[in-house]
Amino acid sequence: MSTAPTVRTRIAPSPTGFLHLGTARTALYSWAYARHHGGQFVLRIEDTDVARSTQDSVDQILASMAWLGLAHDEGPIYQMQRLVRYQAVVEQMIAAGTAYRCWCTPAELEAMREAQRARGEKTRYDGRWRPAPGKQLPPPPADVQPVVRFANPEGGAVSWDDLVKGPITIRNEEIDDLIILRPDGVPTYNFAVVVDDWDMAITHVFRGDEHINNTPWQINIFKALGAPLPRFGHCPIILGDDGLKLSKRRGAVSVTAYQDAGYLPEAMLNYLARLGWSHGDDELFTREQMVAWFDGSHLAKSPAQWDPAKLAWVNSHYMKLADDARLAELVADQLARRGIVADDAGLLARGAALFKDRCSTVVELADWLSMIFRPVQPAEADLSAHVNDAVRAALPGLRERLAAAAWDKAGIAAALKETLAAHQLKMPQLAPAVRVLVCGRAQTPSVDAVLALFPRDIVLSRLQ
Ligand code: GLU
C-alpha cells in the first residue's frame, strides 16, 4: 500500500483587489491537481497586509472562485485569525535559536544599506542582532519595538525540483535574515505562508513565478520547523497581447471584468488552462477532461501571451453549446445593466437560440436582443440601399397581412410570401428592407424567425 500523503493544494490570494487572471490560473491548476489525485483543495485568504486588505476584495475573490466553479474543500481560512498560532511558532523558533529579535530602527537599517551601497555591496541585513556563540549583543533599546528575524542558515544552498521550472538552487549567502514577525505581532508573508502550508498539510504549491525568490526562505523555514516540504511549481507570468506583463493599465486583469464582459466561466477555465499547460493539441476540453488530464506535467516554462481573439473563439464555442434558458438569464442581466427590463424568459431563450451562433459573448447577444426593447436607428446608407420605392409600395400591404397573421414564424412567413406575390417582389428585395426597418441592420438570421421575437405592435410601428 502506498504511504504517500493525500494530495492537498491551496490557493492563497491576498484580498487587496479582484481575483487576478494569474491567480485564477494557479487556482485552476491547484484545484485540478487536487481533483485529479482525489485530494483536497484549500482556500486561504492572506490578509496580513492590513492596510490594503478589504472585505470587498474578499467578497469579490470568493464570488469569482464560485463563478469559475473552483470549489474549495476547506476554508476560507483567514490569516488574521491565526495570529496566536504564528506568534507561538515564533516563540518556539526563538527558543530553538532559529529566530531572534532585532531592535534595528528603520533609520539604522537605512544607514546600513547606505553604507553597503557606498562600498558597492548588495544591500542586506548584516546580522547585527543575530546571536552567535561568544558574540556580545548590545542591550535592547527600551524605546524600540523589536521585529523577529529568521536565522537563515549561513552556508550551503537551497535546492528544489520545481514542478514547472525543474531543478533550482540558491546559495544561502545570497539571502539574508528576513523579518518574520513585525513589531505589531503580524507575521510577514514568507513566514505565515510556511506555518499555514505546514498546518494545512499542503503537499503541492502552485503559484506565480514572482514568488520564486521567496521559496528559498520558505524552504529554510520549513526545515527549521522540521516540517515536511511541499513540492513547488512556479508558473510563468501571463503577458498581455503586447508582449508586456499583463497589467491593469493595459487591459482587464480581473476575472470579474471578463464575467462583466459576457464571457462564460467554462470558456474562461478552458482558456486559462491552456495558457501555460497543454494536453497534446487539444484546445477545447471540458473541466472533467482537464481534471482527468492534469497531473502536473506539461506545464509551460515560458510565459504565455494573453490572446483576446483566441479567448473570444473559445467563448463562442461555449456560447453555441450553452443552454438557451441559461443564456436567457445571462442576457437578461446584461440588458438590465443597460436599463432594459427584459422579464420574458421564454422570449430571451428563443432569442438566444436564434443568435447565439453568431455571438462570441453574452454582451454581443445583448447587443442583438436590445433591438427588441429599444428603438433602432437604421443607418442612412442601409435605408437608401434597401428601402427603395418598390419595397415602399409593398409595406402597407405587408403591415395589413402581419396585423392579421398568426404571430409565429409560420404565420409571419406566410404574410411575407403573400406580400411578395401581390407586389411581384423577391424575398432578397423585401427581407433586407424589413430587417433594416425593424432590426436596424440588413443582416440577421431568417427574417420570419427574427420578427416572431418582437411584439407584433412594435414590428407594425417600425414598418410604418
Ligand atoms: N498571497 C500570495 C499572493 O497572492 C500567495 C502566494 C502563494 O501562493 O504562496 O501572491
Side-chain angles (χ1 to χ4, degrees):
M1 253 184 72
S2 158
T3 54
T6 307
V7 166
R8 287 173 57 90
T9 62
R10 57 27 168 218
I11 189 70
S14 303
T16 55
F18 297 103
L19 187 66
H20 187 279
L21 294 170
T23 312
R25 185 184 58 169
T26 38
L28 168 60
Y29 292 167
S30 305
W31 171 86
Y33 193 75
R35 290 286 171 275
H36 178 85
H37 290 283
Q40 288 111 35
F41 173 55
V42 179
L43 174 61
R44 181 167 78 224
I45 301 291
E46 300 205 327
D47 53 355
T48 56
D49 184 348
V50 181
R52 291 172 61 228
S53 296
T54 67
Q55 185 57 43
D56 190 46
S57 296
V58 172
D59 296 342
Q60 301 279 0
I61 288 167
L62 296 181
S64 290
M65 293 286 292
W67 181 68
L68 289 170
L70 300 179
H72 48 275
D73 304 298
E74 284 170 33
I77 296 161
Y78 295 84
Q79 289 189 321
M80 285 307 281
Q81 294 174 8
R82 290 175 41 79
L83 294 185
V84 172
R85 169 67 180 148
Y86 306 128
Q87 289 158 6
V89 176
V90 163
E91 289 307 325
Q92 286 165 20
M93 290 174 73
I94 292 174
T98 54
Y100 60 93
R101 294 202 164 78
C102 163
W103 280 267
C104 279
T105 62
E108 275 178 86
L109 290 171
E110 190 39 48
M112 182 192 304
R113 285 191 285 262
E114 201 47 59
Q116 288 165 339
R117 276 192 288 264
R119 293 195 298 269
E121 293 169 12
K122 204 175 145 190
T123 58
R124 53 183 291 139
Y125 178 66
D126 65 5
R128 62 180 67 172
W129 286 95
R130 179 173 171 138
K135 179 173 171 186
Q136 188 64 43
L137 294 174
D143 54 342
V144 178
Q145 267 296 100
V147 298
V148 178
R149 289 185 183 267
F150 173 57
N152 196 66
E154 289 189 302
V158 190
S159 297
W160 77 96
D161 187 11
D162 198 271
L163 288 162
V164 181
K165 312 244 173 189
I168 297 179
T169 297
I170 309 284
R171 283 176 304 132
N172 275 321
E173 67 190 39
E174 288 175 39
I175 55 182
D176 59 4
D177 288 356
L178 94 155
I179 296 173
I180 57 175
L181 197 69
R182 300 188 182 99
D184 60 1
V186 177
T188 57
Y189 158 70
N190 275 306
F191 177 66
V193 79
V194 171
V195 177
D196 286 351
D197 285 341
W198 178 30
D199 286 353
M200 292 159 207
I202 300 303
T203 58
H204 295 78
V205 171
F206 293 93
R207 62 184 168 206
D209 68 3
E210 70 272 19
H211 286 293
I212 228 164
N213 292 331
N214 291 320
T215 305
W217 272 311
Q218 294 179 19
I219 290 177
N220 283 337
I221 297 173
F222 271 105
K223 287 185 177 160
L225 293 171
L229 274 182
R231 293 284 316 265
F232 294 94
H234 290 91
C235 301
I237 57 164
I238 302 173
L239 299 176
D241 55 354
D242 53 5
L244 300 170
K245 186 175 189 288
L246 196 65
S247 85
K248 219 183 228 164
R249 247 175 332 113
R250 293 192 309 278
V253 293
S254 70
V255 171
T256 319
Y258 287 88
Q259 182 179 6
D260 290 348
Y263 290 84
L264 300 174
E266 60 271 38
M268 289 305 288
L269 279 190
N270 188 150
Y271 179 74
L272 283 170
R274 271 293 286 115
L275 204 64
W277 171 77
S278 58
H279 181 266
D281 292 332
D282 292 308
E283 292 293 351
L284 299 167
F285 40 82
T286 63
R287 76 167 53 220
E288 289 75 21
Q289 285 172 312
M290 161 122 200
V291 166
W293 297 336
F294 194 86
D295 60 4
S297 60
H298 304 289
L299 284 160
K301 283 190 170 58
S302 45
Q305 197 154 341
W306 190 259
D307 180 350
K310 184 171 168 194
L311 173 60
W313 171 75
V314 173
N315 205 63
S316 56
H317 167 78
Y318 288 101
M319 289 287 292
K320 290 188 187 80
L321 296 183
D323 181 67
D324 297 332
R326 174 181 169 216
L327 288 176
E329 273 182 40
L330 295 174
V331 81
D333 178 57
Q334 287 291 348
L335 290 168
R337 293 172 193 222
R338 303 175 190 197
I340 297 172
V341 182
D343 44 18
D344 184 342
L347 161 68
L348 295 178
R350 290 196 304 281
L354 203 51
F355 288 100
K356 67 183 179 184
D357 282 3
R358 48 183 84 203
C359 295
S360 60
T361 65
V362 179
V363 166
E364 286 180 21
L365 184 57
D367 290 344
W368 273 110
L369 298 187
S370 63
M371 69 186 175
I372 302 170
F373 308 96
R374 286 262 169 90
V376 291
Q377 261 121 28
E380 272 311 318
D382 281 334
L383 287 169
S384 54
H386 300 291
V387 191
N388 53 34
D389 289 346
V391 169
R392 225 177 265 275
L395 288 177
L398 175 61
R399 286 186 69 240
E400 267 168 43
R401 289 184 185 88
L402 287 174
W407 198 248
D408 54 26
K409 186 172 185 282
I412 292 168
L416 285 163
K417 267 201 201 112
E418 285 162 29
T419 308
L420 295 178
H423 295 270
Q424 276 99 52
L425 285 171
K426 296 264 180 272
M427 199 55 126
Q429 296 170 281
L430 184 61
V434 171
R435 290 185 169 110
V436 169
L437 291 169
V438 177
C439 308
R441 36 183 152 180
Q443 265 120 38
T444 71
S446 103
V447 66
D448 44 7
V450 172
L451 292 190
L453 289 177
F454 286 81
R456 186 199 310 258
D457 54 330
I458 292 195
V459 171
L460 297 183
S461 72
R462 290 189 190 171
L463 288 176
Q464 185 153 47

